[in-house]
Amino acid sequence: GAVVSQHPSRVICKSGTSVKIECRSLDFQATTMFWYRQFPKQSLMLMATSNEGSKATYEQGVEKDKFLINHASLTLSTLTVTSAHPEDSSFYICSAIPGTGSYEKLFFGSGTQLSVL
Amino acid sequence: DAKTTQPPSMDCAEGRAANLPCNHSTISGNEYVYWYRQIHSQGPQYIIHGLKNNETNEMASLIITEDRKSSTLILPHATLRDTAVYYCIVRIPYFGNEKLTFGTGTRLTIIP
């Protein structure tokens, strides 16, 4: 089946540094990818929708200058947490849809646990 | 603004059928119902989806009411590995502007 690879699975960084998380669709082209964050014991919160070749659409309350999303190809989207602070510590998950406009399954990455010291 | 409502938690005895309900009373005619589950610190795993007919696969069965306002996910013989948070999602995809939001899900605990 289709696979979404997310890397790294865990990252620890110092406050003020930037962290990049990659999301790749391994065997399909993903016109649309989604980025979520999840706090402990809470549901997934949609941060932004990423469309290949265009600017990401951010949800209300998500700072686009803080969470930079790039979807430069049909198989890769990246989320960069800029100037990370401890409150940015969270579990980040990406997902991708094979075939825009279809009712195909969504596939999720395995997630990235970000810890900001 | 989640479109689905699920009970926050449920317990089920190992070996029994686990029946997880979901209310989606505002579902539109071309929205599908999807079920995913998330085991701790992992990405969500696809289980099953359907439009209006009942569906079954190797993991589960999905029963959708005739008016499509609710559905039930059935795990026929629950095992300890089925302990997870189960999410019911309704989805209407169209080019370039699809939004996918999760509700609070149901935390299912399988009891030995």
Side-chain angles (χ1 to χ4, degrees):
Chain A
V3 176
V4 174
S5 174
Q6 189 172 340
H7 179 80
S9 59
R10 181 177 295 272
V11 58
I12 300 172
C13 70
K14 292 182 179 179
S15 186
T17 61
S18 294
V19 174
K20 180 184 284 188
I21 301 169
E22 290 189 350
C23 181
R24 293 180 184 273
S25 55
L26 296 186
D27 55 0
F28 63 94
Q29 293 185 331
T31 308
T32 304
M33 290 186 174
F34 302 97
W35 287 95
Y36 297 85
R37 69 187 297 182
Q38 186 177 35
F39 293 108
K41 297 192 184 300
Q42 294 187 23
S43 184
L44 286 76
M45 183 190 77
L46 181 65
M47 297 175 67
T49 303
S50 166
N51 292 302
E52 185 266 338
S54 62
K55 291 183 179 180
T57 303
Y58 290 82
E59 294 300 300
Q60 191 173 10
V62 178
E63 299 176 59
K64 57 183 176 183
D65 295 331
K66 173 81 173 168
F67 299 99
L68 300 179
I69 292 173
N70 184 281
H71 193 160
S73 77
L74 286 170
T75 60
L76 174 64
S77 177
T78 60
L79 167 66
T80 301
V81 183
T82 62
S83 187
H85 288 93
E87 58 265 30
D88 299 323
S89 298
S90 187
F91 191 57
Y92 293 87
I93 307 169
C94 68
S95 72
I97 304 172
T100 304
S102 71
Y103 291 96
E104 291 290 334
K105 305 177 232 182
L106 294 117
F107 297 94
F108 287 83
S110 54
T112 297
Q113 182 64 53
L114 171 63
S115 299
V116 184
L117 304 179
Chain B
D1 59 345
K3 300 179 184 178
T4 63
T5 305
Q6 299 174 253
S9 64
M10 291 181 65
D11 292 340
C12 177
E14 187 178 15
R16 298 288 205 141
N19 296 277
L20 291 91
C22 179
N23 181 288
H24 32 80
S25 58
T26 59
I27 194 170
S28 64
N30 49 358
E31 281 184 309
Y32 279 58
V33 180
Y34 283 74
W35 282 84
Y36 283 79
R37 71 181 183 185
Q38 186 180 27
I39 296 170
H40 180 65
S41 297
Q42 297 182 25
Q45 175 192 22
Y46 168 83
I47 301 173
I48 199 166
H49 73 283
L51 180 61
K52 55 183 178 181
N53 298 319
N54 297 338
E55 302 288 344
T56 296
N57 63 21
E58 65 279 3
M59 290 183 69
S61 295
L62 173 61
I63 309 297
I64 303 174
T65 58
E66 192 169 342
D67 63 8
R68 303 209 321 121
K69 293 185 177 182
S70 64
S71 61
T72 301
L73 177 75
I74 302 172
L75 307 179
H77 305 287
T79 71
L80 297 178
R81 287 184 294 181
D82 292 323
T83 292
V85 178
Y86 288 75
Y87 294 100
C88 167
I89 304 166
V90 294
R91 178 181 170 214
I92 178 168
Y94 54 97
F95 181 77
N97 195 24
E98 179 179 353
K99 229 172 154 174
L100 211 70
T101 54
F102 284 73
T104 53
T106 296
R107 185 174 298 275
L108 175 67
T109 303
I110 305 301
I111 311 296

